[in-house]
Amino acid sequence: MAEAPTAVDGAAGTVRFGTAGWSYPDWMGTFYPSAAPRSFKPLVYYARFFDLVEINSSFYAIPSQRMARGWVDQVSDNPDFVFSAKLWRGFTHERGSASRGDARQVCAALDILAAAGRLAALLLQFPWSFKSGADNRAYLDKLFDAFGAFPLVLELRHRSWLESAILDWLRERRIGFCNVDQPTISGGIEPSAEVTGPVGYVRLHGRNYENWFRDADAKDRGSAGARYDYLYSAQELMPWAARIQSLMARTRLSLVIANNHPRGQAAANALELKKLITGAPIDAPAPLRETFPHLAALAAPAAGRSPAELEPNSVKGTKP
């Protein structure tokens, strides 16, 4: 297994924006052209508008080396494009089902991305039911060792983990902390701007309180995940823009992922956040502009104060 870099090369404060996954049936006509030819490759098209994507399919099945090579080839026209990958659920949501052979297979695929300079992070995502405790912490230590050749980011959804001792432990291990936006009910972790490793990470899941616990994580693949059906308003994104600026000030690379995927909402919100942070005109695909007419304003340069100036207290983790 080749040794992967600790992070994708880039200037201090580099930030990239993207979505969790790129292949959803309901993105045809809302993000992708509705009348695409048979030879159409969604990832090639996606990489025209974004420089980051989180591989969602790697959670449901371990990708092959051939798949990884194909992904690298399809983003070749965008030299800045990078991937983050979700670890297979056998290690996170179905613990006990993964073997050493599975770990080797995961690493073999990730080595392809890392060797091409395209791997920004491996995300170890755990469900709300995974709570802080000695046994679970010991399990995480084993995972960190097994996949330590890659830049690791840990996503935890229960607020029992958000303690100074836990964050210090992650810093010692150089494991990134995933700052999430989600419904803050039943002990759900609240918004934060924590940095515990070389990579800063943000995931926006939406605030669909009504459906948050309706679908099990293993059943919300594709467009069926009602829990993620949510469109953020500009006012809701502004505090996150300030938190992202805080991450950028303390990391070499920050990754911002929108996971509210139904009907292309994640793509719309990711571009809005990019506009808030960079102020530069944003290019959005025509189907997305038609689905979300307010995106037309993204083509114009931003004016006025920065998100941090507008929301000076939001970096400290204000509640949604």
Side-chain angles (χ1 to χ4, degrees), residues 246-261:
S246 175
L247 296 182
M248 293 169 61
R250 293 174 287 153
T251 61
R252 191 170 186 84
L253 176 67
S254 294
L255 308 177
V256 180
I257 293 292
N259 190 34
N260 52 325
H261 57 77

Side-chain angles (χ1 to χ4, degrees), residues 156-315:
L156 304 160
R157 296 193 180 183
H158 194 273
R159 71 180 59 159
S160 60
W161 292 97
L162 198 55
E163 299 178 358
S164 59
I166 298 296
L167 298 175
D168 288 342
W169 167 59
L170 294 178
R171 291 187 183 98
E172 291 173 4
R173 300 282 332 236
R174 291 179 61 79
I175 308 299
F177 181 86
C178 182
N179 301 280
V180 300
D181 190 274
Q182 64 176 1
T184 54
I185 51 178
S186 300
I189 206 164
E190 297 181 347
S192 58
E194 299 291 347
V195 172
T196 58
V199 178
Y201 213 102
V202 167
R203 297 189 87 222
L204 306 180
H205 297 299
R207 300 176 183 177
N208 193 329
Y209 280 79
E210 181 180 358
N211 293 314
W212 187 244
F213 287 114
R214 178 171 296 181
D215 295 338
D217 279 15
K219 297 180 181 179
D220 61 14
R221 190 177 186 182
S223 60
R227 57 167 27 187
Y228 300 121
D229 189 357
Y230 190 84
L231 181 67
Y232 287 92
S233 68
Q235 291 74 21
E236 290 171 326
L237 292 177
M238 190 66 76
W240 273 108
R243 293 186 186 101
I244 293 164
Q245 288 182 324
S246 175
L247 296 182
M248 293 169 61
R250 293 174 287 153
T251 61
R252 191 170 186 84
L253 176 67
S254 294
L255 308 177
V256 180
I257 293 292
N259 190 34
N260 52 325
H261 57 77
R263 299 181 305 284
Q265 294 170 127
N269 284 151
L271 289 173
E272 287 180 273
L273 271 172
K274 185 175 182 179
K275 175 73 169 187
L276 284 171
I277 295 297
T278 68
I282 301 300
D283 186 18
L288 196 68
R289 295 197 306 269
E290 293 172 3
T291 305
F292 304 100
H294 70 281
L295 295 183
L298 298 182
R305 294 175 293 167
S306 71
E309 292 173 317
L310 290 170
E311 296 285 344
N313 299 317
S314 63
V315 173

